[in-house]
Amino acid sequence: PLRPPAETAAIYRKAIAARDGRVMLYGVTPELAGIGRQQVAVDGSEGMVRNTWPGDTASRRAILGNWLALPFADGAMSAAIGDGILSNIAWPDETAGLLDELVRVLAPGGRAVFRTFCTPGRTETLAQVRDAAFDGEIESFHALKWRVAMARMPDRRTPNIAVRDILARFDETFPDRTALARATGWHAESIATIDAYAGSPHLYSFPSLPQLLALAVPRFGSVATLDSGRYPLCERCPLIVLDRGPADGRPDLP
């Protein structure tokens, strides 16, 4: 679930096909680079732009910028897309700020499409995640990481979780990585990717879909969801489609 597969990229393209003149990409996700007749990608990390972006062309470019204060005029974009971006900011204040800024830069009739990582309505315990892994019910290690992050925490009042805490929860739940590798067939190197979380100052947020919709619906003329494809944990990764309503009697974009 960490990367959008080709089938998901195709769904993005179809969803904004009638509004693809000026497309903003949140982040520099290579799989989404080039969607739209003209695309500008915005990322806050120079390192991400340098190391992840596949390169500028005549129809796409990447710039440094703040998602909460975008360097664009009002109504400058016909569409916006992003992959998992709402999990990279703090709930609820930064989420609301991003949506408000999105409303500003989208032209009337514009559309935004985001793949989301949503905590399910009935959350698991860490013990249930452990049992599912050892029973062979989790298809990939990256899906396991997200399930560990989303698992129920009795004292958690928000869907935010520090990245370093995901590692701590994993080590608590799976103290014997060799046993996990033997039970699942996952390579030790794949499991060790979670160690990149050690000491991280960042946080992730995994709101439920109803929580996201509660913020989005008052801000947009139309809000819908789409399946994002068929891959491990896809049921927790819906696409949310946000349509900016027309203003001052102006018609929707063609």
Side-chain angles (χ1 to χ4, degrees):
L2 297 186
R3 312 292 307 189
E7 61 179 324
T8 305
I11 297 170
Y12 276 102
R13 290 181 186 275
K14 183 177 180 180
I16 67 163
R19 302 167 171 84
D20 66 350
R22 305 178 307 280
V23 178
M24 176 178 59
L25 170 62
Y26 286 86
V28 287
T29 306
E31 294 85 350
L32 303 185
I35 293 180
R37 285 174 283 171
Q38 290 292 324
Q39 183 193 76
V40 56
V42 181
D43 199 284
S45 166
E46 183 177 357
M48 286 294 292
V49 174
R50 182 174 59 252
N51 298 321
T52 304
W53 181 243
D56 291 354
T57 69
S59 62
R60 74 183 188 211
R61 62 190 176 99
I63 64 172
L64 292 174
N66 182 347
W67 294 347
L68 304 183
L70 292 165
F72 305 122
D74 295 0
M77 296 295 162
S78 58
I81 57 177
D83 193 72
I85 64 164
L86 298 179
S87 288
N88 288 315
I89 57 179
W91 176 273
D93 293 344
E94 289 187 348
T95 312
L98 183 148
L99 294 176
D100 287 338
E101 187 69 345
L102 174 62
V103 171
R104 183 186 70 79
V105 301
L106 274 182
R111 171 172 289 179
V113 183
F114 300 141
R115 189 168 69 117
T116 61
F117 301 140
C118 292
T119 296
R122 180 173 294 180
T123 54
E124 305 169 290
T125 64
L126 287 170
Q128 288 171 324
V129 175
R130 179 197 61 218
D131 292 346
F134 280 102
D135 288 343
E137 297 173 0
I138 301 179
E139 299 173 81
S140 74
F141 180 69
H142 297 304
L144 173 66
K145 284 195 294 189
W146 263 198
R147 287 175 69 163
V148 167
M150 295 178 185
R152 186 182 314 137
M153 289 195 295
D155 59 345
R156 193 164 110 198
R157 297 182 181 180
T158 77
N160 300 327
I161 182 169
V163 170
R164 62 180 177 273
D165 289 344
I166 300 174
L167 174 60
R169 302 184 96 208
F170 172 79
D171 286 337
E172 171 193 339
T173 308
F174 300 98
D176 187 343
R177 296 189 182 186
T178 300
L180 177 63
R182 187 167 53 247
T184 60
W186 300 332
H187 294 297
E189 293 83 359
S190 178
I191 295 173
T193 59
I194 199 168
D195 292 327
Y197 291 176
S200 171
H202 302 296
L203 63 79
Y204 289 145
S205 64
F206 298 101
S208 67
L209 185 57
Q211 285 178 310
L212 281 178
L213 295 179
L215 281 186
V217 167
R219 292 171 165 82
F220 292 88
S222 173
V223 178
T225 60
L226 297 171
D227 289 340
S228 63
R230 293 291 177 265
Y231 51 87
L233 218 67
C234 63
E235 69 279 2
R236 302 192 192 186
C237 306
L239 289 167
I240 183 170
V241 181
L242 309 171
D243 284 345
R244 166 98 150 78
D248 301 325
R250 295 171 61 184
D252 287 350
L253 293 170

